[in-house]
Amino acid sequence: MLNRRQFARAFAATATAASLAACSTRSAPPADDLRAGSGKNTSLGPVKQVEAGVLNVGYAEWGPADGKPVILVHGWPYDPHSYVDVGPLLAAAGYRVIAPYLRGHGPTTFLAKDTVRNGQQAAVALDVIALMDALKIDQAVLGGFDWGVRTVDVIAALWPERVKAMVAVSGYGINDLEANRRPLPPAAEYGWWYQYYFATERGALGYDRYRHDFNKLIWKNVSPKWDFDDATYERTAESFTNPDHVAIVVHNYRWRQSLAPGEPQYDVYEQKLAAAPTIGVPTITIGSDFDGTAADGKAYRAKFTGKYEHRIFAGIGHNVPQEAPEPFAKAIVDVDRF
């Protein structure tokens, strides 16, 4: 198990530069070591609010105001509590860490009642850009998983000047709507059952009614080895009571399947993303058990053209930063040194 001294040494170690041509892959320590330190913190501290773009964004913040900025983006069905242990670790290393609640989550609300409750990838990415502008952050190290990795990948592809470096769990998450129209083998389709559920009116009504239990089931399914307790889940589940939560989630998944339109102002960005652009910023990608056979990162290696390393967290599920906070935090520090 990693103790504090070992973790400090890991932070102080110089990162090894990865080859641009080859995929540098390493496996993290066994699952017991990966989970060292998990669950130490239960509170995000005072949640701050700022008007940014079309939103009033709630966000957690750790570390000195003049520290190097790090922005950590959560996925679904999660919230900034995914970084509740990562934030203090990075703050202790001198970073200023920002973890926003995405649209439709927690205290993040729309400024106008008539704004479309849109969950498409370009809209969510521009929310983060607007947050950076509001906080006067020109460039940051980004990290994310699930919706969060899609968001940081989009920002790195379209606005690379805003990204110093990036940690991307599950690698390349940019949606390809044309590819999404093509059917997968039955075993693969089975894993996306909730997307088909959300495509129906029954699914939208069911998610609205049962969102608490629905999302807890997702947590268990995608992180079967993570023995989280009820209190851990409940802290995040509060975010699902946001009045726009169901609309944003349902639109996100319907949009991915071309079952709901996006908004015209995002068309220029989605056209660029449809070309599956490469990402040139320094990147560490992380594969976990959730990724199955894709955990080795080979499927998306060619999408990253800058300094690069891939790490495999065996025994860890989908919520990588909360399940394995110390090695995730170390990846942020390491990629900042690339």
Side-chain angles (χ1 to χ4, degrees), residues 19 75 104-105 127 173 213 222 241 327 330:
S19 168
H105 293 75
D127 289 344
D213 293 347
V222 299
T241 63
K330 184 179 186 301

Side-chain angles (χ1 to χ4, degrees), residues 176-182 195 199 251-262:
D176 181 341
L177 297 189
E178 187 59 38
N180 285 352
R181 293 188 179 98
R182 296 192 288 270
Q195 296 197 30
H251 182 268
N252 176 284
Y253 288 106
R254 289 184 179 181
W255 177 82
R256 292 193 207 183
Q257 301 299 330
S258 299
L259 299 174

Side-chain angles (χ1 to χ4, degrees), residues 112-128:
K113 292 182 179 179
D114 59 353
T115 302
V116 176
R117 274 38 178 177
N118 180 348
Q120 75 182 101
Q121 61 186 356
V124 178
L126 281 165
D127 289 344
V128 176

Side-chain angles (χ1 to χ4, degrees), residues 58-276:
Y59 63 96
E61 182 171 2
W62 301 269
D66 60 351
K68 291 182 181 180
V70 174
I71 297 178
L72 303 175
V73 190
H74 69 83
W76 173 87
Y78 305 99
D79 79 347
H81 283 91
S82 291
Y83 301 104
V84 72
D85 290 315
V86 172
L89 288 170
L90 293 175
Y95 290 91
R96 179 191 182 191
V97 184
I98 308 291
Y101 289 83
L102 295 182
R103 53 172 60 194
H105 293 75
T108 293
T109 57
F110 286 87
L111 297 174
K113 292 182 179 179
D114 59 353
T115 302
V116 176
R117 274 38 178 177
N118 180 348
Q120 75 182 101
Q121 61 186 356
V124 178
L126 281 165
D127 289 344
V128 176
I129 293 291
L131 175 63
M132 293 177 69
D133 291 343
L135 297 179
K136 296 180 170 51
I137 297 173
D138 293 328
Q139 190 181 62
V141 177
L142 302 185
F145 73 104
D146 194 75
W147 289 21
V149 75
R150 180 169 300 105
T151 301
V152 301
D153 281 348
V154 168
I155 295 171
L158 297 183
W159 300 281
E161 70 280 2
R162 307 302 297 268
V163 185
K164 185 176 187 296
M166 181 174 68
V167 172
V169 176
S170 300
Y172 191 84
I174 294 174
N175 276 139
D176 181 341
L177 297 189
E178 187 59 38
N180 285 352
R181 293 188 179 98
R182 296 192 288 270
L184 299 171
E189 295 283 15
Y190 178 75
W192 303 113
W193 65 272
Y194 57 89
Q195 296 197 30
Y196 302 115
Y197 185 64
F198 289 154
T200 68
E201 186 59 19
R202 177 188 178 93
L205 293 172
Y207 186 59
D208 190 14
R209 182 173 180 179
Y210 299 110
R211 70 186 87 171
H212 178 279
D213 293 347
F214 189 105
N215 289 340
K216 194 171 187 178
L217 176 63
I218 296 291
W219 274 40
K220 292 178 178 178
N221 286 349
V222 299
S223 297
K225 297 179 182 179
W226 182 31
D227 187 24
F228 61 88
D229 59 18
D230 288 343
T232 297
Y233 177 73
E234 294 300 334
R235 286 189 285 272
T236 290
E238 292 182 12
S239 288
F240 310 145
T241 63
N242 181 294
D244 300 307
H245 179 76
V246 174
I248 295 297
V249 171
V250 169
H251 182 268
N252 176 284
Y253 288 106
R254 289 184 179 181
W255 177 82
R256 292 193 207 183
Q257 301 299 330
S258 299
L259 299 174
E263 292 182 86
Q265 66 264 36
Y266 302 116
D267 286 351
V268 62
Y269 307 115
E270 296 297 353
Q271 288 167 4
K272 293 177 180 179
L273 296 172

